[in-house]
Amino acid sequence: MIEVLGVTKSFRGPGREVRAVDDASLHVGKGEFVLILGRSGSGKSTLLGLIAGLVRPTSGSVRIKGNDIGLLSDNSLAELRAREIGFVFQFSGLLPTLPALENVLVPTLLCRGGPGTRSRAREILARVGLTEREDAYPATLSSGEMKRVAIARALINGPSLLIADEPTGDLDVDTEYEIMDLFRQLNLEGMTIVMVTHNPDLACFATRLYVMDRGKLGLEPGPFPAKDREPGNAAAGAPDDE
Amino acid sequence: MNDRMSLFPYILAGLRNKPGRNIATAFCFAFIAASIFSGQYLLAGAAGGIGQGISRMGADHLVVPVDYMALMGGRGPDNTIPIVRAEPSVFRFNRSIMDTIGRARGVSGMSPQLYVTTMYVPALAPTPIDVYGIDPDTDFTILPWLEHPPEHPLASGEVFVGHGIKGEVSSSINLNRHHYTIAGRLDPTQSGADTTVFLSLGDAYDLAATEGTLPASAPRILPGSVNAVLVRMGPEAEPDVVEADIRRLVPPSSAAVIGRHFSLDPVSRDIQDLSGVVSAISAIVVLAAFPLIALISAMVAHERQREIGLLSAMGGKRRVILFLVLSESLVLAAAGGIAGIGGGLLTIALLDAPGFLGNAVPVTFIMPSAMETLVLAGFAMSAVVLIAVVSSLYPAFRISRMSPYDAIRSGG
Ligand SMILES: Nc1ncnc2c1ncn2[C@@H]1O[C@H](COP(=O)(O)OP(=O)(O)OP(=O)(O)O)[C@@H](O)[C@H]1O
Ligand SMILES: [Mg+2]
């Protein structure tokens, strides 16, 4: 599904160069649930951007479904993103001018002939538990609700790959586990998921775990028993502040 | 409701977001459209007036029997008004003289006229009326004066009447037991034509031959005889040269030439100057509004960077994103353009009603027809749309090239 080979991304900061992602390699098979753990500023978001073709690598290559995205034209890459990839951004990125339901439908404007219909949007909103809030504008939603609208939006075009950048960041533990539950269901239905978090307690959901530290990506030895953990005793590693 | 989302509500939602700024932008477009439209509209009106004025100037030369000139002491008719109608007289020549006149250089048209008689018909006018015969096939002096362009040339049994003659168009009038249908009425000419009934030449000869039409003492009117030949020059011809050439050709013992000694050229030139002024004003308006609109589009694009980045990250192709940014601007341009044209029309109508326009410029305005108005409105709309596209193209293009991820990060 995803093949990242020796990818480096550096940014020219003031005076010095920042290697946000440093020679990272990663493999995600079809139907996997991959978790990337790391401290703030370790380069997780940049890596996700590289995987989705939103960021052009300084060196190295990224393949999605066999396509080297460095070789795809802008249009083909956009097409690939619209049809195959659902992206949950770290900042929910809802359009303030549209109510929740319309926000969910925005990607359908970019994917002609896709499965996205109004009734499907309602189903997905129901699935993330927001049936009653479909007419609410983002400004009137709580941050957890916004995250869930953003997740619904990522799912509307029926992607085969879901990329989520801290979808449970700044949520209470119960809501966090509700979302993780949803992700696990989606994964069981066959969706490939790559998710970034800085909460090590979520490792139990993953079929494969990577840890990122100052741009370096490392594979944690598996296998990971996809076993449940009680929401209550998730207190181990103190997550970094945003 | 449609089960799928469509672009238009999306664009509208974006527009609703900043009502103040968007109204200002639309107003800007409205101003441009109004100034272009009303300027062009007034110009067309003035040009229409001039065009009609020129076509109503009648003949450039009048060829008359030489005896008539002798009678007039060589002065001829008042040459400072348009020659629409030959003067009434009993001096005639045969219309075959047209073969000779037609050979003169610079002559582009000729039409004969026959003065039949003057009669008193109380049903038609309180003063005596003149009866004339004209040749419907060649006439170029009466036709432009009609209130409405006729559907077909004057036929036998039909008449055109001067402005001062009573009777509705398509009603019937009676001249010495002959019945004619009024096929059209002339606008006021401030000349004898206002109390004249114009028949086709054939009818005129018939009427003349009817007992009681001509005074018993008057000479008979023979078929083929006419009182004058009205001559029109080609656009390049010089009046004096044409006049001299006609004089050279027609036998001096039979005919004389009267020239017209004024033209509408100065007014025509005034209109051209006016056209320059109007175009300059339009250009200034456009030039002044352009940077403003460009600035607003740049602002909009900047503000929407994040939204556009999001769309692009979700798989929006550059073309779609360009379209979204442009269409917002286009919707504003269209709304503003329509409002501006409507406002322009309304203003002109309000000014025109009490006759301000006519008094402000020494020209009769002939307001453009609905069709012409539509064309002018289309022109103003295209101008506004063009400005909208050009001014938002650059910001839209720049933003569509931005890395979507940077756009999302900024201001996250
Ligand atoms: N466009 C950019 N220009 C310059 N530096 C950047 C840019 N994007 C990221 N960086 C830098 O790259 C590093 C990694 O950033 P990144 O956003 O990937 O971290 P992260 O792991 O997602 O952090 P967080 O958990 O806080 O979201 C940071 O030091 C950041 O400042
Ligand atoms: Mg991040």
Side-chain angles (χ1 to χ4, degrees), chain B residues 98-125:
Chain B
M98 286 166 69
D99 299 341
T100 314
I101 302 169
R103 287 206 301 274
R105 260 175 300 143
V107 171
S108 73
M110 290 179 292
S111 188
Q113 284 189 358
L114 171 71
Y115 162 71
V116 181
T117 188
T118 300
M119 45 170 89
Y120 180 56
V121 186
L124 296 182

Side-chain angles (χ1 to χ4, degrees), chain B residues 53-388:
Chain B
I54 287 171
S55 71
R56 285 186 168 188
M57 284 209 308
D60 297 305
H61 300 93
L62 199 59
V63 182
V64 294
V66 74
D67 310 333
Y68 169 77
M69 289 301 279
L71 185 86
M72 299 291 292
R75 275 187 300 114
D78 181 358
N79 280 346
T80 57
I81 63 163
I83 305 173
V84 173
R85 192 193 74 161
E87 292 299 302
S89 87
V90 293
F91 302 106
R92 290 181 277 269
F93 48 33
N94 194 281
R95 66 180 293 175
S96 60
I97 194 168
M98 286 166 69
D99 299 341
T100 314
I101 302 169
R103 287 206 301 274
R105 260 175 300 143
V107 171
S108 73
M110 290 179 292
S111 188
Q113 284 189 358
L114 171 71
Y115 162 71
V116 181
T117 188
T118 300
M119 45 170 89
Y120 180 56
V121 186
L124 296 182
T127 53
I129 57 167
D130 293 333
V131 179
Y132 270 69
I134 58 170
D135 177 8
D137 297 331
T138 57
D139 166 59
F140 61 92
T141 58
I142 306 299
L143 216 54
W145 281 94
L146 286 170
E147 285 176 340
H148 306 290
E151 278 154 26
H152 57 84
L154 189 67
S156 176
E158 290 182 338
V159 293
F160 292 144
V161 296
H163 198 76
I165 306 277
K166 283 182 237 165
E168 299 287 315
V169 169
S170 33
S171 70
S172 181
I173 64 167
N174 179 355
L175 300 174
N176 194 22
R177 306 189 302 282
H178 289 257
H179 292 274
Y180 303 98
T181 306
I182 300 179
R185 170 171 278 106
L186 275 53
D187 279 331
T189 61
Q190 316 299 346
S191 74
D194 289 353
T195 50
T196 302
V197 175
F198 296 92
L199 282 61
S200 67
L201 264 178
D203 285 357
Y205 293 125
D206 288 347
L207 180 63
T210 306
E211 177 154 1
T213 300
L214 304 182
S217 60
R220 302 295 87 194
I221 297 178
L222 304 173
S225 59
V226 295
N227 285 79
V229 173
L230 292 85
V231 175
R232 181 167 57 180
M233 311 184 302
E236 304 293 310
E238 283 293 323
D240 295 343
V241 176
V242 176
E243 189 173 332
D245 211 37
I246 299 175
R247 283 227 167 82
R248 184 175 62 79
L249 289 167
V250 297
S253 60
S254 66
V257 183
I258 300 170
R260 184 187 49 177
H261 301 294
F262 80 101
S263 84
L264 279 183
D265 286 356
V267 190
S268 214
R269 264 197 299 281
D270 280 356
I271 284 295
Q272 255 146 33
D273 293 350
L274 196 66
S275 150
V277 171
V278 169
S279 302
I281 292 175
S282 298
I284 290 170
V285 167
V286 170
L287 284 180
F290 194 85
L292 201 64
I293 288 177
L295 186 77
I296 295 174
S297 333
M299 235 166 73
V300 172
H302 182 78
E303 238 167 58
R304 300 183 64 185
Q305 215 162 282
R306 198 168 133 72
E307 173 183 349
I308 288 163
L310 260 171
L311 289 176
S312 157
M314 291 189 294
K317 295 187 179 138
R318 180 177 300 172
R319 162 164 58 80
V320 176
I321 287 164
L322 270 176
F323 175 81
L324 274 175
V325 177
L326 280 184
S327 56
E328 191 168 305
S329 185
L330 282 179
V331 168
L332 290 178
I338 289 168
I341 289 165
L345 266 177
L346 195 73
T347 312
I348 291 168
L350 288 178
L351 284 181
D352 201 28
F356 284 153
L357 277 180
N359 298 337
V361 205
V363 169
T364 330
F365 281 89
I366 299 200
M367 288 315 171
S369 66
M371 195 59 212
E372 278 176 287
T373 307
L374 219 64
V375 170
L376 291 177
F379 176 74
M381 273 313 260
S382 331
V384 170
V385 163
L386 197 74
I387 292 170

Side-chain angles (χ1 to χ4, degrees), chain A residues 9-14 16 18-21 38-49 55 90-91 165-166 196-198 212 214-215 240-242, chain B residues 403 405-406 409:
Chain A
K9 176 70 187 177
S10 40
F11 296 104
R12 254 188 300 280
R16 64 195 185 90
V18 182
R19 286 203 162 193
V21 175
R39 298 167 57 93
S40 180
S42 56
K44 307 181 297 293
S45 295
T46 307
L47 179 65
L48 289 189
V55 179
Q90 183 166 9
F91 309 101
D165 195 347
E166 303 201 25
V196 154
T197 181
H198 48 220
M212 207 157 183
R214 273 165 288 164
D240 290 294
D241 291 333
E242 267 296 313
Chain B
S403 150
Y405 219 46
D406 286 345
R409 292 177 71 96

